[in-house]
Amino acid sequence: MSPAILLVLALGLGLAGWLAARARAWTFRRDSANGRIAALPVYHAWYVALWIVVPVLLFVGLWSVIAPQLISQSVLASPAASDLPAFGFQRDAILSEARSVASGSAKAVFNEAANGLVEPYRAAISRYNLIGVLATLIIAFLAGAWAFLRIKPDFTARTRVEKAVMTILLLASLVAILTTLGIVVSLVFETIRFFGMVSPLDFLFGTQWGPDPMSNPNSPDGSRYGAIPLFWGTIYIGAVIAMIVAIPLGLMSAIYLTQYANPTLRKWIKPALEVLAGVPTVVYGYFAALTVAPAIRDAAFAVGITNASSESALAAGLVMGVMIIPFVSSMADDSIAAVPQAMRDGSLAMGATTSETIRKVLVPAALPGIVAGVMLAVSRAIGETMIVVMAAGAAANLTGNPLEAMTTVTFQIVAMLTGEGSFDHPATLSAFALGFVLFMVTLGLNFIALRVVKRFREAYE
Amino acid sequence: MVTVVHPNLEDTNAKMSARDVSVFYGDKKAIDDVSIDIPTKYVTAFIGPSGCGKSTFLRTLNRMNDTIPSARVEGEITLDGEDIYRSKMDVVQLRARVGMVFQKPNPFPKSIYDNVAYGPKIHGLVGSKSEIDEVVEKSLRRAGLWMEVKDRLEDSGTALSGGQQQRLCIARAIAVDPEVILMDEPCSALDPIATAKIEELIDELSGRYAIVIVTHSMQQAARVSQRTAFFHLGKMVEYGRTSDIFTNPLEKRTQDYITGRYG
Ligand SMILES: Nc1ncnc2c1ncn2[C@@H]1O[C@H](COP(=O)(O)OP(=O)(O)OP(=O)(O)O)[C@@H](O)[C@H]1O
Ligand SMILES: [Mg+2]
């Protein structure tokens, strides 16, 4: 509650500073000889407002971290805390119960022992709230006054405000990058730990997968950590079966949409395809597990294949292929549409038919873009998790038979992390090694694809 | 108003004729009632201010307007006496006989060799590799490009200079041995030297084909063409021998345009 109040306070003070600075800049303008000052009044206003809001926000952020600690310390120092159990879980429970009653989020205590602590908590909370508000006001006032005194007719407020805005934008973009970096670093860290227990050679080239989370973590059996069946399953489902579905269908729909469909139809089909890309993958997972997989098994029975599994690489791959169609088609659509109309006219004027023009001029010209689209689609397919979790099965089979169950890297990451092993067991840690490999492969694919697309774009500019 | 046709236009045999042709984009009339005979073995120039419909009319001659959904053509256009808009007309055949070169060079992103071989291949004019080689060389020679590219036939057509690209497009067009070649401002993206080369080429080709060229350059029209048609606001105002149009225009608007008092 109190950080929210402080936030509102910060914004209010900022607004006040904004108005005051603008009024002052107006007077500069009125008094100046030619009605001109170094920056428009509104920039002076923003300059002061930023000087108020930014320090206050920094303080509020800091305060919301340290205030609860200060509060608990002062409560623990109070006489009522003396008969608390010394340490541990019970003591924490009592404290948190008292805190929630004091702050109003619970009505009454369950544990009698907490009763005596409610009052000290209440007192501490209101005391520190007051301190927080006062400190906020003081900071806002000091920073605001300093900024306010700096604004003069010849003060270059605009360049300073622009610099501040640029910095804020930079920080915003850094958040995503730094988070990704953090993820990578932690991934690398855990992967190194894993490879300290299991040899990378066993992991990368072994053909048996079956980590036992209940085994002795200190002497893992390297021969059970061979990830080849997982890599194979991932590639077979995501890059082979799914692409056999997605490439032709995606390409054909792109060709139809760019070359044959009349504009009204295109207006409807293109967004419909894009909606397909927004369907949550778990929904595709249902469809794969409940509809497609049984249908494939029944079909296999019907033609006399009796050992078909009810979970199959084929079911997962087919549905994944359908899921990927929009990616392929929208990239192909963009690249075909980016081939200049002059190219198409040139071919038609030679007496080529529309289909000759598409096959011999447009698709070859758009090929780099199409290939890049396929690579992005593959990278998405091999990272896809829900469909394989629900439809591909858990068996690490190294087989080429699409009717058998197979497992993938993503499936095993989920299985290992949600398994029964403790967190530092090599079986659990193997999830990080798998994630690392997956990350590197998709990163590589995306990197190459984006470079190809960029080169292609340049070629037509 | 009807077109003024110069009386001394001797009766050459017309390769293509248009009779009362109007072209609409949706409801908008872009060409109004144009009739013209395009003689074989001559160069016919279309001149006129921007937006008057030169390109539109040119494109009706090989039905490239078919690619614009809103475009509609009325009237009759014949090639060797056959109506090219009749329902049985094969557009593919028509475009093989009436080739086109565009304002901006548009070689395909293929090798120089494949650019030239494209037309002969799709029309099944050639069989063996040696036949294709022969057609490619002949076309490039005729387009005056052979000496410059004979050692780099496998390079991409888009890697050539603008002027070379345009000559490649001309080579591509003549590789299918058309009867008529339509050129829409073929030199507007080129420098004077490349322009001179193309003009020379047009001159050489005019002995074999009927050539129609749209141009904004009066000098160019005067240099390369034997017939000139002046278009204005969708109408063909005046048509005659180039020398007559430039020295003795019968219409005031024509005179204003060619003397530069216009658009
Ligand atoms: N695709 C189209 N859709 C609708 N209107 C068009 C289209 N193409 C051309 N027009 C219109 O038809 C008229 C004639 O255009 P056209 O391109 O034939 O002129 P032009 O004489 O070739 O001009 P320029 O010398 O500038 O090339 C113009 O008014 C133009 O706006
Ligand atoms: Mg034009």
Side-chain angles (χ1 to χ4, degrees):
Chain A
M1 184 170 119
S2 97
I5 290 182
L6 292 181
L7 273 183
V8 173
L9 199 62
L11 293 179
L13 290 168
L15 181 66
W18 194 90
L19 291 171
R22 197 180 62 155
R24 189 163 154 77
W26 274 111
T27 67
F28 292 153
R29 193 162 172 172
R30 201 189 50 222
D31 299 343
S32 72
N34 55 1
R36 298 177 70 95
I37 51 177
L40 289 179
V42 64
Y43 286 110
H44 288 94
W46 279 114
Y47 178 72
V48 173
L50 281 172
W51 259 107
I52 295 174
V53 173
V54 172
V56 165
L57 285 182
L58 289 178
F59 170 73
V60 169
L62 205 63
W63 185 246
S64 61
V65 176
I66 58 173
Q69 316 241 344
L70 292 174
I71 291 174
S72 343
Q73 263 172 29
S74 84
V75 169
L76 289 175
S78 75
S82 55
D83 40 309
L84 272 178
F87 280 111
F89 161 73
Q90 217 177 354
R91 174 188 156 106
D92 289 347
I94 293 171
L95 280 175
S96 90
E97 219 177 308
R99 184 169 53 234
S100 38
V101 173
S103 64
S105 59
K107 280 219 173 56
V109 293
F110 173 72
N111 193 327
E112 287 301 320
N115 258 335
L117 287 172
V118 170
E119 255 333 290
Y121 250 117
R122 210 166 262 159
I125 288 175
S126 64
R127 190 165 67 245
Y128 280 105
N129 272 355
L130 191 64
I131 293 176
V133 170
L134 283 179
T136 304
L137 285 174
I138 290 170
I139 289 172
F141 185 77
L142 288 180
W146 188 76
F148 193 78
L149 290 178
R150 290 194 69 189
I151 62 173
K152 304 234 162 46
D154 59 353
F155 181 65
T156 53
R158 178 171 51 80
T159 44
R160 284 155 203 268
V161 169
E162 276 166 1
K163 256 190 212 136
V165 168
M166 216 181 70
T167 313
I168 292 171
L169 296 179
L170 179 70
L171 290 177
S173 62
L174 282 184
V175 168
I177 294 176
L178 290 179
T179 314
T180 317
L181 270 183
I183 294 173
V184 174
V185 168
S186 74
L187 211 53
V188 168
F189 190 72
E190 302 292 348
T191 304
I192 290 171
R193 260 179 82 192
F194 172 71
F195 285 139
M197 306 177 188
V198 175
S199 144
L201 292 179
D202 285 343
F203 176 75
L204 289 176
F205 301 110
T207 56
Q208 294 294 326
W209 179 262
D212 177 4
M214 292 297 129
S215 65
N216 176 3
N218 298 319
S219 59
D221 177 3
S223 70
R224 300 183 65 132
Y225 287 89
I228 289 284
L230 313 189
F231 298 151
W232 168 246
T234 305
I235 290 170
Y236 196 55
I237 293 175
V240 178
I241 301 179
M243 288 306 135
I244 287 175
V245 176
I247 293 173
L249 290 179
L251 202 53
M252 285 192 267
S253 78
I255 287 172
Y256 177 74
L257 285 179
T258 53
Q259 304 302 320
Y260 292 102
N262 71 37
T264 7
L265 199 65
R266 180 178 163 86
K267 219 176 75 197
W268 285 97
I269 294 187
K270 211 168 142 53
L273 267 175
E274 273 151 19
V275 164
L276 211 62
V279 174
T281 55
V282 68
V283 175
Y284 284 106
Y286 280 137
F287 180 60
L290 302 180
T291 312
V292 178
I296 287 174
R297 188 198 49 211
D298 294 346
F301 274 133
V303 298
I305 304 171
T306 49
N307 62 350
S309 151
S310 63
E311 288 174 321
S312 64
L314 188 59
L318 287 180
V319 173
M320 198 185 284
V322 172
M323 185 192 88
I324 296 294
I325 289 174
F327 292 85
V328 177
S329 91
S330 109
M331 282 289 288
D333 187 319
D334 288 350
S335 359
I336 293 176
V339 178
Q341 176 71 22
M343 221 65 93
R344 188 166 177 254
D345 283 351
S347 173
L348 292 174
M350 296 291 305
T353 61
T354 309
S355 93
E356 280 165 342
T357 301
I358 291 167
R359 276 186 290 119
K360 303 207 166 129
V361 176
L362 296 182
V363 171
L367 201 60
I370 295 172
V371 169
V374 168
M375 287 168 86
L376 290 179
V378 168
S379 100
R380 217 194 120 90
I382 64 178
E384 162 52 34
T385 311
M386 269 341 276
I387 294 177
V388 290
V389 166
M390 296 174 81
N397 287 327
L398 192 53
T399 163
N401 179 0
L403 295 174
E404 271 186 52
M406 272 183 210
T407 193
T408 65
V409 171
T410 50
F411 183 108
Q412 291 302 322
I413 292 176
V414 173
M416 292 299 127
L417 283 180
T418 56
E420 281 139 45
S422 65
F423 193 70
D424 43 12
H425 191 283
T428 315
L429 290 177
S430 70
F432 294 100
L434 290 173
F436 185 70
V437 172
L438 191 63
F439 180 82
M440 293 315 283
V441 170
T442 48
L443 193 71
L445 280 172
N446 287 9
F447 181 75
I448 297 171
L450 291 180
R451 284 192 57 121
V452 171
V453 170
K454 190 158 160 281
R455 284 250 306 277
F456 176 61
R457 291 275 143 76
E458 279 163 2
Y460 285 122
E461 259 153 27
Chain B
M1 156 160 6
V2 286
T3 309
V4 176
V5 179
H6 282 244
N8 64 352
L9 198 63
E10 82 273 23
D11 198 23
T12 47
N13 36 352
K15 185 72 189 172
M16 298 192 79
S17 332
R19 289 289 169 269
D20 308 324
V21 170
S22 296
V23 183
F24 300 82
Y25 290 113
D27 295 334
K28 204 179 122 233
K29 204 172 201 175
I31 285 290
D32 187 9
D33 224 5
V34 168
S35 300
I36 187 174
D37 285 338
I38 306 221
T40 188
K41 301 196 177 177
Y42 279 123
V43 178
T44 305
F46 290 175
I47 60 171
S50 188
C52 66
K54 306 177 296 290
S55 300
T56 300
F57 185 65
L58 191 74
R59 291 164 64 95
T60 59
L61 299 177
N62 70 343
R63 292 187 55 173
M64 277 303 282
N65 281 332
D66 292 10
T67 62
I68 301 170
S70 68
R72 183 164 55 83
V73 178
E74 279 176 5
E76 189 190 54
I77 298 179
T78 58
L79 172 64
D80 286 338
E82 290 174 316
D83 182 1
I84 63 170
Y85 279 88
R86 70 183 191 277
S87 57
K88 266 195 268 159
M89 184 73 212
D90 180 359
V91 183
V92 165
Q93 284 309 315
L94 170 69
R95 290 185 189 147
R97 293 172 65 190
V98 184
M100 188 158 200
V101 175
F102 295 81
Q103 176 171 1
K104 238 184 95 199
N106 58 349
F108 303 132
K110 298 170 176 289
S111 69
I112 294 170
Y113 183 95
D114 287 338
N115 262 281
V116 183
Y118 184 76
K121 276 189 192 159
I122 58 175
H123 292 296
L125 302 178
V126 285
S128 64
K129 171 87 172 110
S130 63
E131 263 179 316
I132 306 178
D133 287 349
E134 202 177 304
V135 170
V136 169
E137 179 175 342
K138 196 177 73 186
S139 311
L140 284 170
R141 272 191 197 283
R142 250 192 243 158
L145 192 59
W146 176 251
M147 293 316 281
E148 286 157 72
V149 301
K150 67 175 193 291
D151 298 322
R152 44 188 287 213
L153 291 175
E154 289 312 313
D155 285 9
S156 170
T158 51
L160 295 171
S161 77
Q164 290 173 325
Q165 288 189 14
Q166 195 62 302
R167 278 180 284 150
L168 177 61
C169 292
I170 294 175
R172 186 173 78 183
I174 58 186
V176 291
D177 217 3
E179 297 155 37
V180 182
I181 302 179
L182 311 174
M183 300 185 175
D184 194 348
E185 303 184 41
C187 302
S188 67
L190 306 181
D191 71 18
I193 294 172
T195 301
K197 281 202 171 135
I198 304 264
E199 286 180 4
E200 214 175 287
L201 175 57
I202 292 171
D203 210 44
E204 276 168 36
L205 296 175
S206 67
R208 309 176 66 93
Y209 311 105
I211 296 179
V212 185
I213 176 171
V214 172
T215 175
H216 276 164
S217 154
M218 296 306 109
Q219 290 87 340
Q220 183 168 67
R223 278 194 301 263
V224 301
S225 72
Q226 291 80 45
R227 298 285 178 272
T228 295
F230 172 62
F231 285 76
H232 184 230
L233 295 177
K235 293 191 168 67
M236 193 168 88
V237 175
E238 187 164 347
Y239 178 50
R241 288 189 194 178
T242 301
S243 51
D244 293 338
I245 297 276
F246 279 91
T247 54
N248 183 24
L250 300 176
E251 271 283 317
K252 182 158 185 323
R253 280 178 292 165
T254 316
Q255 177 161 24
D256 286 350
Y257 182 73
I258 58 179
T259 54
R261 246 169 290 165
Y262 225 108

